Amino acid sequence: MTQPAPSAQHHGPEKGTVPGPAPAPPSKPGGGPRALGLRLDVRNLSLLGVLAVLALVGGLTEPDAFLDTGNLQLILTQSSVIGVVTVGVTLVIIGGGIDLSVGAMVALASVWATTLATQDFGFAGILFTAVIVGLAAGLVNGVLIAYGRLVPFIATLAMLASARGLALQITDGKTQIVTVQSVLDLGLPDAYVLGIPPLVLVFAAVTVVGWLILNRTTFGRRTVAIGGNAEAARLAGIDVRRQRLYLYLLSGLCCGIAAFMLIILSGSGQNTNGNLYELDAIAAAIIGGTLLSGGRGTIVGSVLGVLIFTTITNIFALNNLQSDVQQIAKGAIIVAAVLVQRRTLRNGET
């Protein structure tokens, strides 16, 4: 009688051996990291197309005003403050969180940095205070969420209310005028570098750093991992709580930087600063392709989302359209973006 082949006599690994990894499931046609990168590139190109269409609309409706160099500088400058905030918010959302307190943190940092006592320390005192206050608020958020196990929505909502209240208490409802000339000089045309406002250069620098963190560091890969599946990330050896703490610290840092930029832009500190920044930042991230459920997003897409919203606002202002129409248009764009995300997820895009 013929003996069966040796491989057929064994139904498991030999004793003392370690089984190899299970074969990977067959991938869908067009799947894989390379295909995902291609889809993200297509999305960013689509956003650039939308921005080009808006520029065309602005050029056709108000050619003299929209295409003026001063107006283009204004669009970039207005995008800078909320853009810096959006970079931090994007990282938080990709990590599976949410931050509703960014606008309030900007307000708190701006008023704390413009008190008379702070201004006595000059430029460095204002910058240092704005950054430290932002970091401190981000630290509180991170500790409550990562170690206090509070839901991010609740923790950051509480920070929103607390920071707004503290900002109002510090200012007593009054505007705090900046008297440090070196700070005010940064907002003047004489400070422009090759025609580019300093605030735009700061925005560009923060964008580049955010992109490098997300795409070229272990920190970025861990952020995507905990946003996609926190439990799997924990089992893989990632300290999920510490990672979340760092993400909210980064968000607070971005708010502190944005607060200093807003001080330069407005020459004052007010408790109403940063009003609705949280909604604008989250909306820009969604437009840029960041999933609210976490695990996916791009810094470039979020920045393009900021530019799209700012350009829409500028075009509406130049054409003397009502602000309520602007909000309706923005709302429609957000709904359309979410519907596109749901459709792509339903089709198996990850």
Side-chain angles (χ1 to χ4, degrees), residues 195-231:
I196 302 175
L199 299 187
V200 177
L201 296 176
V202 173
F203 177 31
V206 171
T207 298
V208 170
V209 172
W211 185 90
L212 291 174
I213 289 175
L214 182 61
N215 297 281
R216 293 293 185 267
T217 66
T218 302
F219 182 90
R221 291 191 290 272
R222 289 174 178 172
T223 298
V224 174
I226 69 171
N229 190 325
E231 181 59 20

Side-chain angles (χ1 to χ4, degrees), residues 269-282:
Q270 305 177 54
N271 66 285
T272 56
N273 281 345
N275 188 35
L276 297 181
Y277 271 20
E278 55 277 358
L279 298 182
D280 289 342
I282 293 172

Side-chain angles (χ1 to χ4, degrees), residues 55-69 71 318-319:
L56 180 62
V57 171
L60 292 175
T61 56
E62 289 290 338
D64 294 334
F66 182 80
L67 298 177
D68 181 72
T69 302
N71 185 62
L318 292 177
N319 287 275

Side-chain angles (χ1 to χ4, degrees), residues 2 8 43-44 95 129 150 171 223 236 300 309 338:
T2 305
R43 179 179 289 108
N44 288 339
T129 302
L150 284 183
T171 61
T223 298
V300 174
F309 276 142
V338 173

Side-chain angles (χ1 to χ4, degrees), residues 71-158:
N71 185 62
L72 297 178
Q73 290 173 336
L74 176 63
I75 292 175
L76 292 175
T77 301
Q78 291 177 338
S79 300
S80 298
V81 179
I82 185 61
V84 169
V85 173
T86 301
V87 170
V89 168
T90 300
L91 291 172
V92 168
I93 296 177
I94 293 174
I98 196 73
D99 195 344
L100 301 178
S101 63
V102 289
M105 289 195 293
V106 168
L108 179 60
S110 69
V111 300
W112 208 321
T114 54
T115 60
L116 293 177
T118 303
Q119 292 192 54
D120 286 341
F121 293 93
F123 184 100
I126 294 176
L127 174 60
F128 178 80
T129 302
V131 171
I132 289 299
V133 171
L135 281 171
L139 177 63
V140 172
N141 279 337
V143 169
L144 291 176
I145 293 166
Y147 296 95
R149 299 187 182 278
L150 284 183
V151 177
F153 181 90
I154 299 300
T156 57
L157 186 63

Side-chain angles (χ1 to χ4, degrees), residues 1 10 23 39 95-96 99-100 190 193 216 246 278 315 327 348:
M1 184 174 179
H10 300 280
R39 287 194 290 268
D99 195 344
L100 301 178
D190 291 341
V193 179
R216 293 293 185 267
Y246 289 162
E278 55 277 358
I315 292 174
Q327 301 303 323

